[in-house]
Amino acid sequence: MTAPLTPPDNQPPEEPQHPEAAPAGHGATDGPDGPELSRELREAALIALVVAVSGVLLGVLWNWLAPHVPLIADTRNVYLKNTEGEEAIGADGTFVLLSLGFGALSAAGAFLFRRRGGIPLVVALVVGGLLGAGLGWLTGMWLGPTADVVAHAKQVGPGVTFDGPLRLQAKGALLAWPIAAMLMQLALTGLFGPRDPEPPAPDWYGAHDAYEAHGPYGDPAGPATPDAHEDTGAAGVADRQDGGLDARRDERHGDRHDARGDQGPPTAAG
């Protein structure tokens, strides 16, 4: 007897046909990185320019607030009026303090202008700070007393005290502005910058309910329907046929045993 084939209703579903992905070409949608990057670069260039130009104000304040070295001359030489004076160190310290203040102010202004931050903004603050410090140094020396000490001494006459040129002895002071700008930008971004959206919290209660409803392997809890354990296909039909033949054999064997029991033991002939 030929086993019947699997019913059409129980055949596994056909695998979906996956269309080939369209090749990336001119029709692909371009991301926003291009326009956004060009915008950041333009804003960074503008910030660097404004920060560099503000170095002129640094030079003006430095020439106004920094102490000047007093000099005195005779008919042949120029001398320091106070050999133990600290005016030169005071001029360097004034430049450093002013540069730190300008660095903090420039970073705060850039943060208010662009709160999102980014690498172009930090580079603009560093480059603009270096340019602004150099411009302030040159502006302060240009606004201060002349660098020609001999001509200045002849102009004022012998025995008259005059101010020496404004100089920056420690050239490392030029780094105070960009360093202060970077630290201020980092602090402002960390405290008041925009935050990334936090991922949603896991729904532990919903997972527990799903576990209780479907079990650990996703099988629905509760009594199974008759169709759930019904064997389908040729293997199931063959198993049922074998079971039926075994049952018939057991019944015939039981009937024969009962018939022999009813006849009783054989009696001896008298």
Side-chain angles (χ1 to χ4, degrees):
M1 179 176 182
T2 304
L5 300 178
T6 304
D9 296 339
N10 295 326
Q11 291 183 357
E14 297 181 359
E15 296 183 358
Q17 300 295 333
H18 298 282
E20 297 183 358
H26 298 285
T29 305
D30 296 332
D33 294 341
E36 183 67 21
L37 180 59
S38 60
R39 178 184 176 184
E40 290 183 2
L41 293 177
R42 289 194 302 268
E43 293 177 352
L46 178 61
I47 291 173
L49 179 61
V50 173
V51 172
V53 172
S54 63
V56 177
L57 181 58
L58 171 64
V60 174
L61 293 177
W62 183 43
N63 178 63
W64 178 36
L65 298 175
H68 295 77
V69 179
L71 302 176
I72 191 171
D74 53 14
T75 56
R76 291 186 296 181
N77 297 317
V78 180
Y79 307 94
L80 289 171
K81 184 179 181 180
N82 184 9
T83 57
E84 298 181 356
E86 299 179 353
E87 288 80 8
I89 300 177
D92 292 352
T94 303
F95 187 88
V96 171
L97 293 177
L98 290 174
S99 298
L100 292 176
F102 272 79
L105 290 177
S106 60
F111 179 77
L112 293 177
F113 177 72
R114 180 178 175 81
R115 299 178 64 91
R116 290 173 292 177
I119 296 178
L121 177 60
V122 177
V123 174
L125 289 175
V126 173
V127 175
L130 285 174
L131 295 177
L135 185 59
W137 172 37
L138 298 177
T139 303
M141 291 192 304
W142 179 69
L143 294 176
T146 178
D148 192 353
V149 179
V150 177
H152 196 183
K154 291 179 179 180
Q155 181 181 0
V156 298
V160 179
T161 302
F162 62 95
D163 293 333
L166 187 61
R167 294 176 179 176
L168 186 64
Q169 303 295 334
K171 299 302 187 292
L174 297 173
L175 299 176
W177 188 331
I179 291 176
M182 286 192 298
L183 294 178
M184 190 66 177
Q185 174 67 21
L186 179 62
L188 291 176
T189 304
L191 294 176
F192 307 105
R195 298 290 191 271
D196 295 334
E198 297 183 357
D203 188 6
W204 300 109
Y205 296 100
H208 180 70
D209 296 341
Y211 179 85
E212 297 244 339
H214 300 284
Y217 301 103
D219 297 332
T225 58
D227 295 339
H229 299 284
E230 183 179 359
D231 294 335
T232 57
V237 173
D239 292 341
R240 288 195 296 271
Q241 291 177 354
D242 294 340
L245 293 176
D246 294 340
R248 295 191 188 96
R249 291 173 183 172
D250 293 341
E251 290 179 357
R252 293 175 182 176
H253 181 73
D255 294 343
R256 292 176 182 175
H257 180 74
D258 293 342
R260 292 176 182 176
D262 293 340
Q263 293 175 3
T267 57

